[in-house]
Amino acid sequence: QVQLVESGGGLVQAGGSLRLSCAASGRTFSNYAMGWFRQAPGKEREFVARIPWSGGSPYYGDSVKGRFTISINDANNRVYLQMSSLKPEDTAVYYCAADQWRDGTYEYWGQGTQVTVSS
């Protein structure tokens, strides 16, 4: 079965950077789209970024445009989220997700990794 395992979260000061990693296994993902989402305490889950596994233009949420970059390494089946110029409002649990049919519905989710940005 599909497994998505996030890593790379932690505590960082405002203005700093972190790179999140999502190890994907259990399927061939070439026809999937992959996404990152986040959820802060007391808030709804928020879309962060999306990219087709096989290549194509990434898409970002407005709050992270110009600061975050999503990418895929097909050789090691990983999805990355490079986060720069971090702000305290970026504090959340970040989730990796897989969209099997590229229809915007994510069927598979990881367990999440905590990112905390201190001011």
Side-chain angles (χ1 to χ4, degrees):
Q1 70 275 19
V2 173
Q3 277 198 314
L4 304 173
V5 180
E6 302 95 335
S7 61
L11 175 64
V12 63
Q13 288 190 329
S17 299
L18 274 178
R19 188 178 76 159
L20 304 184
S21 176
C22 171
S25 63
R27 294 278 173 86
T28 299
F29 292 92
S30 57
N31 294 323
Y32 284 56
M34 304 299 293
W36 285 96
F37 291 79
R38 67 187 183 185
Q39 188 165 21
K43 295 188 177 181
E44 293 188 354
R45 186 170 61 198
E46 178 187 11
F47 167 76
V48 174
R50 172 185 173 92
I51 189 169
W53 189 281
S54 57
S57 298
Y59 182 72
Y60 298 95
D62 288 341
S63 61
V64 307
K65 278 180 185 175
R67 301 188 298 122
F68 290 11
T69 302
I70 188 171
S71 62
I72 288 178
N73 186 326
D74 190 58
N76 63 10
N77 261 27
R78 285 183 179 264
V79 185
Y80 297 102
L81 185 69
Q82 177 67 48
M83 307 185 294
S84 303
S85 302
L86 283 162
K87 307 174 182 179
E89 51 264 43
D90 294 318
T91 295
V93 177
Y94 284 71
Y95 298 91
C96 175
D99 175 359
Q100 183 175 4
W101 306 109
R102 294 193 182 183
D103 61 356
T105 300
Y106 292 84
E107 291 83 6
Y108 305 100
W109 294 82
Q111 83 289 349
T113 186
Q114 176 70 47
V115 171
T116 302
V117 184
S118 63
S119 57

